[in-house]
Amino acid sequence: MRKATRRDFVKGCMAAGLAFGLPRAAGSTGANSDVRLAIVGLGGIDVPGGVGGRGRQLIDAFSKVRGARVTALCDVDTAILDHGVQMMKKMGVEVTTCTDLRRVLDDKNVDAVVVATPNHWHALAAVWACQAGKDVYVEKPFAYNIWEGRQIVAAAQKYGRIVQVGTQSRSSAALRQAGEFIRSGELGKPRYAHAVIYRPRASIGRVAAPTPVPSTVDYDLWSGPAPIEPVRRKNLHYEWHWIWTYGNGEIGNNGPHSLDVCRWMLGVKEPPRHALSIGGRFLFDDDGQTPNVHIALLDCEPAPILCEIRGLPEDKKPAGSFRGVRTGVIIQCEGGYVRTDLTGAKAFDTQDREIKSF
Ligand SMILES: NC(=O)c1ccc[n+]([C@@H]2O[C@H](COP(=O)([O-])OP(=O)(O)OC[C@H]3O[C@@H](n4cnc5c(N)ncnc54)[C@H](O)[C@@H]3O)[C@@H](O)[C@H]2O)c1
C-alpha cells in the first residue's frame, strides 16, 4: 500500500472541510506514519432538532483523510460513547474508549487530540494535550474567552505543538481567491466587513425545576473547569450553547466561522482596538440566557467588522436575508463588494452587477 504523503494528508483535510496541521515527521509513530487521533466529545444523540454532535461529524470527516486514523474515543456520557463505538464498528474500526480525557493523554497510541467538547472545556483540554506532547485540533470557538485562548497559544509555543482551530473556511480555494482579489485592491480600499448570521432557531423551552443529569453522564467531568451547577434546561447536551457558564451564544457558535472569514479577507492581524456589542433574547420565552439578536462592531485595521446575528424563530419568518446572504460575509469596498456564503464567492460593482465569481 502506498504511504500517505504530507500533500495527500492536507488535500484530504481540505476535501473533508478540515484544517488540520501537517503530520510532523518525528511526531507520529503509528503504522505508515499515520496521525493517530483521539476524538474527545462526540456530541448529543437525541437533542431536539438533530443539532449537536460535532465530534461524530469529525469521526466521519477524519476517517476520510488519508494519513489520519481515529484510534480512540472519549466522552463523559457512556451512552454517547457506545453510540460512537457502534459507528466505528460499522466502519470496521476498533477503538479504545474512555470517559476521562486524561486517559487519552496517557495513551502512547494517540498523536493528536480532537477537542469537540462544550466551549468551557476547550482551553484546559488543549493545554493538557500540549503538555502531554499531543497536537491539537480544537473546535471553534478556540476558547471560552480571550484569556483562556492565550493560555492555549502559550502552551502550544512552550511545548512546541501544532494547535489548529476548526473554523473551516480557510481550506476553501474559492475563499482564498476572493480574499486575494480583495487585498489586491482591484475593488478599491475595503470600507467594512459585514458578517451576516441569520440562522433561525427553535425555542429550548422552560423547565420549572432543575432537570436530572442523565444516569449515563459523569457530570463532574462534564462540568470540568466550570462550577457544578444544577441543569436548568431540558437537555444537558447542545443547549449549553445558550447558557453563559458554558457557552458563548450564537456569536461564539456560528460567529467564529463568519468572523474568521472577515478577518482573513481583510488581512486583519491584530485583535480589535475597541469593541461595541449590544444584544438581547427576543421572541423566545425560554431558559436560554445568551442573546439571539446581537450586533457587534469590531474596530479593526484596515477596516471595521460588523457582526449581525438574528437567531429568530423559523415559524415567524422575520430573519430574511441581507443582499442575498443569510449566513455569510459581505466585504464592502470603495468600488464594489464581495459576497460569500462561506463556500463560494462573487464580486459586484457599485451598481450590484456581478463582475467576478470564485
Ligand atoms: N466547526 C463546526 O462547524 C462546528 C459545528 C458544531 C459544533 N462545533 C463545536 O463543537 C463543540 C461541540 O458542540 P456540539 O454542538 O457537538 O455539542 P454537544 O453538546 O452535542 O456535544 C458535546 C459532547 O462533549 C461531551 N463532553 C463534555 N465534556 C467532556 C469531557 N470533559 N470529555 C469528553 N467529552 C465531553 C458531551 O458529553 C457531548 O457528547 C462546540 O465547541 C461547538 O462550538 C463546531
Side-chain angles (χ1 to χ4, degrees):
M1 198 171 91
R2 188 171 77 91
K3 278 191 179 181
T5 63
R6 289 157 73 96
R7 178 182 287 268
D8 288 336
F9 185 81
V10 175
K11 272 168 64 186
C13 284
M14 288 169 78
L18 297 166
F20 203 67
L22 300 175
R24 60 186 67 221
S28 56
T29 51
N32 302 324
S33 303
D34 285 353
V35 177
R36 297 162 302 175
L37 301 171
I39 313 273
V40 178
L42 305 179
I45 43 185
D46 50 11
V47 185
V51 286
R54 180 60 181 163
R56 278 199 309 286
Q57 292 170 4
L58 290 172
I59 291 180
D60 208 38
F62 276 118
S63 299
K64 292 179 186 137
V65 174
R66 195 176 169 80
R69 190 151 49 93
V70 177
T71 55
L73 299 182
C74 171
D75 202 289
V76 299
D77 185 333
T78 53
I80 288 176
L81 196 55
D82 289 347
H83 187 277
V85 170
Q86 294 313 318
M87 197 176 150
M88 298 292 299
K89 263 200 185 130
K90 281 190 198 144
M91 297 162 78
V93 181
E94 292 286 331
V95 283
T96 57
T97 60
C98 63
T99 53
D100 186 333
L101 74 93
R102 286 167 291 193
R103 301 294 76 78
V104 163
L105 307 180
D106 297 337
D107 188 342
K108 299 281 172 273
N109 294 317
V110 169
D111 304 306
V113 177
V114 174
V115 181
T117 61
N119 305 354
H120 66 282
W121 253 111
H122 285 193
L124 191 55
V127 168
W128 278 354
C130 290
Q131 286 176 329
K134 319 284 186 199
D135 294 325
V136 179
Y137 177 98
V138 55
E139 265 307 338
K140 48 70 5 190
F142 185 52
Y144 176 76
N145 60 33
I146 294 173
W147 184 86
E148 291 188 3
R150 289 187 172 143
Q151 307 320 304
I152 305 181
V153 174
Q157 286 169 348
K158 179 170 178 183
Y159 298 100
R161 307 318 305 175
I162 298 169
V163 177
Q164 288 208 327
V165 56
T167 50
Q168 268 107 36
S169 302
R170 293 207 184 213
S171 39
S172 157
L175 293 198
R176 195 182 64 244
Q177 287 159 13
E180 285 164 2
F181 175 71
I182 292 163
R183 291 188 301 278
S184 76
E186 268 193 65
L187 275 184
K189 280 191 188 155
R191 292 183 54 223
Y192 62 88
H194 186 168
V196 178
I197 303 164
Y198 296 172
R199 154 99 200 244
R201 288 280 171 191
S203 166
I204 63 168
R206 218 176 242 298
V207 294
T211 50
V213 174
S215 60
T216 50
V217 173
D218 183 329
Y219 191 53
D220 190 5
L221 282 176
W222 191 96
S223 303
I228 301 184
E229 292 177 354
V231 183
R232 291 199 182 82
R233 58 189 181 283
K234 283 186 183 159
N235 295 287
L236 174 72
H237 298 302
Y238 191 79
E239 291 172 0
W240 55 264
H241 279 285
W242 325 128
I243 308 292
W244 284 121
T245 310
Y246 322 104
N248 303 83
E250 191 68 303
I251 201 165
N253 188 34
N254 277 302
H257 295 295
S258 299
L259 286 169
D260 183 51
V261 169
C262 292
R263 295 182 72 250
W264 182 31
M265 297 223 162
L266 292 174
V268 172
K269 299 275 184 252
E270 299 292 328
R273 288 167 296 209
H274 309 95
L276 174 78
S277 164
I278 50 171
R281 202 157 177 88
F282 294 99
L283 296 182
F284 288 129
D285 177 19
D286 66 7
D287 289 318
Q289 300 168 344
T290 58
N292 65 323
V293 177
H294 193 164
I295 294 179
L297 183 62
L298 309 176
D299 176 19
C300 295
E301 190 61 47
I305 298 174
L306 174 71
C307 179
E308 193 197 0
I309 287 165
R310 292 187 198 167
L312 294 162
E314 177 118 78
D315 53 349
K316 300 209 167 67
K317 294 198 181 6
S321 62
F322 180 71
R323 283 175 156 178
V325 178
R326 289 194 81 181
T327 296
V329 163
I330 293 158
I331 309 285
Q332 180 68 53
C333 302
E334 288 169 335
Y337 63 95
V338 169
R339 183 178 87 188
T340 170
D341 62 0
L342 308 187
T343 55
K346 288 179 193 296
F348 299 85
D349 66 12
T350 50
Q351 309 299 310
D352 279 334
R353 286 181 301 235
E354 186 181 322
I355 51 175
K356 211 168 170 58
S357 179
F358 304 94

